[in-house]
Amino acid sequence: MLKAKVGRDSFGSKFGIIAAVAGSAVGLGNIWKFPYIAGQNGGGAFLLIYLLCVLVIGIPVMMSEFTIGRRGQKNAYGAFKSIAPGTRWYLAGIMGIVAAFFIMGFYSAVAGWTLEYIYQAVTHQFAGRSPEEISEGFNAFIQNPIRPAVWQLIFIIITSIIVIAGVRRGIEKYTKILMPVLLVIILVLCVRSLTLPGGMEGIRFLFKPDFSSITGTSILYALGQAFFSLSLGMGTLITYGSYFSKKENLGVTALEVSFADTIIAILAGVAIFPAVFAFGIEPGAGPGLVFITLPGIFQQMPAGDFFAAIFFILLGVAALTSTISILEVIVAFFAEELRISRRNATILAAGSVSVLGVLASLSFSSLSDFTIFGKTIFGLLDYSSTNILLPLGGLCIVLFIGWYVKHLLLYRELSNSGSIRVWYYRSFIFLVRFVAPFGISAILIYSIFYGGLG
Ligand code: TRP
């Protein structure tokens, strides 16, 4: 045979893996969602519960996804088929692909807003506007039927250009540049915020645990947020795991990435809360915190447009390295299962995601009256993926690893065929068999029967 089998694309370095996976994890979830959810749920106490959720559920799920991906050497659906042929476990993979479409739909809409805000900051449009005017400006923007959709399409095109270039020459190459940029920007913003008079109150709010404000709901919020923030339950990390080298230490990588993601969420809090307190605003401002409250705050500080611009660049960069990872789930699936080129797979994936995405954007304008189960298309995509598909996917993943996959296979994969020590093996098995399935079932039941989270 002359035609050699073409190998799968893969990551080329340890740093590349960390940049890509942390890039996926660090996103709007850390900078847009985490601060307002923490703000509404008691600050420091919420942070502690969040850390616990990451440790006992998030990290085990992440390790399980890496294991499935690297062992299966396929996309999120194909990996289940290759490890468990002849069973129906692949349905978990299909659910992940559906979730990827849903999440891309609403996530790319918000990602598009960051481009509008970068544009407005750079062209000094916030200057001299009162907080009320900024709030009205935001509403007028999202209620415009054209503008948000155009920014969203631009965002999807930028994502596609990087994904089309491949795992090593696209995803790895760009996340290796973008993640350090993100870190520098967030540190600059932290310094700015911490040096504001009265800012320390914000730090106290973020770190001082007030357990009286913790309710059952906040625990469930913390778990849902951990899932979303660590990119779990959708096969993103199965797909990325399938590009890891056989030498990669899966357990340590999961620990490092979860640590990095958590640090960035905390830093986002450190960048935001001192500013919020310094200007006497309520910390629990809700989803509008970043797009309405912050621009108002920036306007009251020297060089406000500069800080507003770099803040929204930060948000855009964080969103981009995440949309890359969501689109890749669909692209890997199309390319491998339909046996088409990466290029065609990307065009197909981006095209279909754009249709859904534009419908999500229009939820705030022309389609605002069109609701299903009382939710707009945007709301429904967010709700059903974050609160139902992701936890359900995560549940399947831990049950698959904890109860279906043979111990020998699991041990081999985690220890790289016995070449590294797996000191955490027993705790991992315990978490993945009992703690994670129980915790995840709790969020699921809660969100289905009690109207849910966020
Ligand atoms: N984790 C990202 C964030 O915090 C979003 C994200 C990327 C995601 N890939 C995912 C969420 C897969 C759930 C599943 O913004």
Side-chain angles (χ1 to χ4, degrees):
M1 281 267 286
L2 277 174
K3 206 169 143 211
K5 186 173 180 296
V6 185
R8 282 181 97 239
D9 205 347
S10 64
F11 290 118
S13 66
K14 167 94 190 153
F15 177 61
I17 289 179
I18 299 288
V21 181
S24 170
V26 174
L28 297 170
N30 303 59
I31 302 166
W32 172 56
K33 276 192 172 178
F34 180 81
Y36 82 76
I37 294 182
Q40 289 172 332
N41 288 277
F46 179 84
L47 183 58
L48 274 183
I49 293 174
Y50 178 77
L51 292 177
L52 193 70
C53 291
V54 168
L55 208 64
V56 303
I57 298 181
I59 294 174
V61 176
M62 188 179 284
M63 286 167 57
S64 303
E65 290 206 28
F66 287 162
T67 305
I68 297 170
R70 195 176 61 176
R71 174 76 198 185
Q73 286 295 303
K74 275 273 160 57
N75 63 82
Y77 156 89
F80 281 103
K81 280 217 141 175
S82 96
I83 301 176
T87 67
R88 290 181 188 250
W89 285 103
Y90 66 84
L91 291 172
I94 301 217
M95 208 161 59
I97 313 291
V98 173
F101 273 102
F102 286 15
I103 294 185
M104 254 320 254
F106 76 89
Y107 201 91
S108 60
V110 181
W113 302 349
T114 67
L115 298 181
E116 165 79 14
Y117 270 60
I118 295 170
Y119 170 77
Q120 291 198 16
V122 170
T123 54
H124 302 291
Q125 295 188 32
F126 295 121
R129 283 206 253 159
S130 68
E132 292 71 40
E133 287 167 330
I134 288 175
S135 169
E136 282 158 19
F138 175 71
N139 291 327
F141 164 65
I142 62 171
Q143 284 163 14
N144 180 317
I146 313 269
R147 231 178 138 86
V150 171
W151 284 123
Q152 177 180 30
L153 291 177
I154 294 174
F155 206 95
I156 293 175
I157 291 169
I158 300 172
T159 306
S160 309
I161 291 171
I162 296 174
V163 169
I164 257 183
V167 175
R168 193 174 303 201
R169 293 210 247 130
I171 299 175
E172 179 171 356
K173 180 173 155 197
Y174 288 96
T175 50
K176 268 160 75 176
I177 304 168
L178 294 170
M179 291 312 285
V181 169
L182 181 145
L183 194 63
V184 171
I185 299 183
I186 204 162
L187 290 175
V188 169
L189 289 166
C190 285
V191 171
R192 167 69 277 201
S193 191
L194 284 170
T195 50
L196 288 168
M200 275 305 144
E201 199 49 45
I203 294 298
R204 221 164 288 136
F205 173 76
L206 183 61
F207 292 107
K208 195 169 157 253
D210 165 18
F211 287 100
S212 65
S213 55
I214 288 299
T215 60
T217 320
S218 24
I219 297 174
L220 297 166
Y221 268 110
L223 194 54
Q225 173 63 15
F227 250 78
F228 191 84
S229 189
L230 295 173
S231 300
L232 303 175
M234 199 196 83
T236 298
L237 301 181
I238 295 180
T239 310
Y240 272 14
S242 75
Y243 306 133
F244 285 8
S245 89
K246 286 287 173 200
K247 291 205 201 93
E248 189 70 13
N249 186 333
L250 301 182
V252 169
T253 306
L255 282 176
E256 288 169 350
V257 170
S258 306
F259 183 74
D261 184 66
T262 307
I263 292 289
I264 301 280
I266 294 174
L267 288 179
V270 170
I272 292 172
F273 287 122
V276 166
F277 276 83
F279 290 97
I281 291 163
E282 266 297 296
L289 184 64
V290 154
F291 289 100
I292 297 173
T293 312
L294 282 187
I297 292 175
F298 287 130
Q299 271 329 295
Q300 302 176 42
M301 42 172 99
D305 282 340
F306 168 76
F307 288 109
I310 66 167
F311 177 80
F312 288 106
I313 291 172
L314 166 75
L315 205 55
V317 166
L320 179 60
T321 54
S322 298
T323 51
I324 290 172
S325 76
I326 306 172
L327 193 65
E328 176 63 23
V329 171
I330 309 175
V331 169
F333 171 73
F334 280 165
E336 289 173 353
E337 303 304 328
L338 305 177
R339 297 169 195 278
I340 55 178
S341 67
R342 167 171 276 273
R343 193 189 163 77
N344 289 341
T346 311
I347 294 170
L348 187 62
S352 35
V353 155
S354 298
V355 174
L356 200 62
V358 167
L359 292 176
S361 269
L362 293 178
S363 300
F364 299 98
S365 51
S366 337
L367 296 177
S368 62
D369 292 332
F370 179 78
T371 56
I372 306 168
F373 302 124
K375 293 189 186 322
T376 61
I377 297 173
F378 182 99
L380 196 69
L381 293 177
D382 182 2
Y383 180 82
S384 61
S385 54
T386 310
N387 300 323
I388 299 172
L389 295 176
L390 293 183
L392 205 55
L395 185 61
C396 294
I397 287 162
V398 285
L399 292 177
F400 183 69
I401 286 291
W403 298 96
Y404 175 81
V405 168
K406 296 270 175 298
H407 269 295
L408 183 61
L409 181 155
L410 193 56
Y411 189 80
R412 272 203 183 155
E413 207 52 47
L414 289 173
S415 69
N416 296 346
S417 302
S419 62
I420 46 176
R421 245 166 49 81
V422 209
W423 47 271
Y424 47 77
Y425 193 67
R426 280 167 163 265
S427 352
F428 171 71
I429 294 293
F430 177 72
L431 293 173
V432 106
R433 284 198 150 185
F434 303 103
V435 179
F438 177 81
I440 298 168
S441 308
I443 354 181
L444 256 175
I445 292 169
Y446 186 85
S447 50
I448 293 170
F449 293 104
Y450 295 92
L453 312 168

